Amino acid sequence: MEKIIMTFQVKPEQEGIRIDKYLGMCQKELSRSYLQKLIKDQAVLMNGKTVIAKEKTIKDAVIHVEVPKPEPLEIKPEPIPLAILYEDQDIIVINKGKDMVVHPAAGHMSGTIVNALLYHCKGELSGINGIMRPGIVHRIDRNTTGVIVACKNDKAHHKIAEQLKEHSITRKYMAIVHGNFQEETGSVQVPIGRDPSERKKMAVNWKNGKEAITHYRLLESLKHQLSYIECQLETGRTHQIRVHMAWIHHPLLGDDVYGRISDQKYHLMGQVLHAGVLGFIHPSTGKYMEFRAQLPEYFQELLDKFRL
């Protein structure tokens, strides 16, 4: 794989700074999270030796950063219609439909958001996440609907990724869950990691999990001990809302992994979860932008069916 070599020399006044922080100060193209990944991959050398992220700079040391060039895209573009909410030279914001996979993976090499984006954007997508996920900076589950943003260049990708890392992006989801709530609002703050007994599932994992915070608000009490709620993510762990709501005994309606077997009687296609609001600072203009996606028809029909 071809690489771009970036070289820096530590000035006397820059001695004693964490390597990842120092590199973030020296250039603006690479985010700190991506620099930490490069360090972990042993692509950062100080005086010819690999380093760790918390290692401190040495006066007059020479630091080399090996940045891999994006591999050529091999996923086929496909003329799949996209519900575009906004688009410019840096980003494209989409309202993702039900049962649509975001990026190719084993068993889903076509028919994904990425296949559609490659066709629509004529291949102009960021390459940071490799050939399987061009342009994809965050994702939502196959059966979750709603707003998702993709990036057309690496600079935009870094800027959005940094906001995700800093938890400064606004992400609000609508869901129908089991049970009634005594309180109007609440928060769940328990770590999420791989389920030690079922590796394909996520779970509350106190030993190896990462911090995960979900704030929820009751929008409406429904029939059959169901509730319509809004969840706002402070962090973005895999299956976070689904795991957190199941943890507090309010599993999502239709969730075939963390939910209830009895939901099969409703003949739903996965969890009833919709990414309704996405807000972030635009990577070029620096202005805050917020996008909303209306509830999909199936979700609205369920609300009408279960309303008191």
Side-chain angles (χ1 to χ4, degrees):
M1 181 189 294
E2 289 188 64
K3 295 180 180 179
I4 301 170
I5 307 297
M6 303 173 71
T7 303
F8 308 94
Q9 184 165 19
V10 181
K11 299 175 182 178
E13 64 270 21
Q14 296 172 325
E15 184 179 17
I17 302 173
R18 274 180 58 124
I19 292 284
D20 56 347
K21 184 177 180 181
Y22 166 79
L23 291 173
M25 293 164 51
C26 290
Q27 52 75 51
K28 300 300 179 185
E29 292 300 311
L30 305 179
S31 68
R32 191 165 173 181
S33 59
Y34 185 60
L35 288 166
Q36 289 170 342
K37 180 181 183 301
L38 291 176
I39 291 170
K40 187 177 180 181
D41 293 342
Q42 299 187 330
V44 177
L45 306 176
M46 182 164 64
N47 288 341
K49 296 181 180 180
T50 58
V51 297
I52 58 176
K54 65 180 181 181
E55 195 164 332
K56 302 294 179 63
T57 54
I58 301 170
K59 185 177 69 172
D60 297 326
V62 176
I63 298 177
H64 295 291
V65 183
E66 300 178 353
V67 184
K69 285 186 177 180
E71 298 177 45
L73 301 177
E74 297 178 357
I75 306 301
K76 293 182 179 179
E78 297 176 21
I80 302 168
L82 291 169
I84 299 171
L85 301 176
Y86 175 83
E87 181 178 11
D88 61 25
Q89 72 275 12
D90 293 309
I91 60 173
I92 179 169
V93 182
I94 303 158
N95 182 6
K96 188 186 89 65
K98 193 83 164 172
D99 195 35
M100 192 170 191
V101 177
V102 171
H103 61 78
H108 295 286
M109 293 303 291
S110 64
T112 72
I113 292 286
V114 163
N115 296 105
L117 285 173
L118 285 173
Y119 182 88
H120 178 82
C121 299
K122 298 179 174 57
E124 293 185 4
L125 294 167
S126 65
I128 291 170
N129 272 334
I131 61 174
M132 300 296 277
R133 294 187 286 174
I136 302 302
V137 65
H138 74 120
R139 58 184 177 175
I140 53 181
D141 296 335
R142 173 177 181 170
N143 290 323
T144 299
T145 56
V147 192
I148 182 172
V149 61
C151 296
K152 294 185 176 182
N153 54 68
D154 288 359
K155 179 182 176 182
H157 191 122
H158 286 308
K159 292 288 182 89
I160 300 294
E162 195 65 33
Q163 293 177 63
L164 282 165
K165 183 175 181 290
E166 294 171 352
H167 313 316
S168 61
I169 285 185
T170 301
R171 286 175 290 174
K172 295 181 181 179
Y173 290 71
M174 284 66 195
I176 297 179
V177 300
H178 284 277
N180 295 137
F181 289 82
Q182 299 300 316
E183 68 285 345
E184 293 291 322
T185 60
S187 297
V188 187
Q189 186 171 355
V190 290
I192 291 177
R194 289 287 169 189
D195 189 319
S197 58
E198 295 185 64
R199 298 298 295 170
K200 291 185 178 181
K201 290 178 61 176
M202 306 302 289
V204 170
N205 189 324
W206 297 99
K207 184 178 180 180
N208 299 314
K210 294 183 178 180
E211 180 186 43
I213 305 171
T214 305
H215 306 290
Y216 61 86
R217 178 168 67 95
L218 177 65
L219 299 176
E220 191 175 350
S221 296
L222 305 170
K223 293 178 183 177
H224 310 302
Q225 294 287 299
L226 296 171
S227 296
Y228 175 37
I229 66 170
E230 174 190 271
C231 292
Q232 182 161 350
L233 295 181
E234 189 168 321
T235 56
R237 307 304 172 202
T238 301
H239 297 176
Q240 179 172 315
I241 292 173
R242 298 166 66 186
V243 172
H244 272 177
M245 297 316 294
W247 173 257
I248 63 171
H249 309 296
H250 291 287
L252 270 65
L253 180 68
D255 193 330
D256 53 9
V257 177
Y258 308 101
R260 299 181 180 178
I261 296 177
S262 60
D263 286 353
Q264 293 176 357
K265 65 186 176 185
Y266 296 115
H267 305 291
L268 299 171
M269 192 165 58
Q271 67 278 356
V272 183
L273 183 63
H274 176 68
V277 179
L278 181 68
F280 52 85
I281 302 296
H282 189 280
S284 289
T285 68
K287 294 182 179 179
Y288 179 76
M289 305 181 76
E290 191 167 278
F291 303 94
R292 296 174 180 269
Q294 290 187 336
L295 290 177
E297 186 177 353
Y298 92 95
F299 197 129
Q300 189 60 57
E301 288 177 353
L302 284 171
L303 281 179
D304 295 340
K305 177 180 178 180
F306 294 133
R307 282 201 160 108
L308 297 172

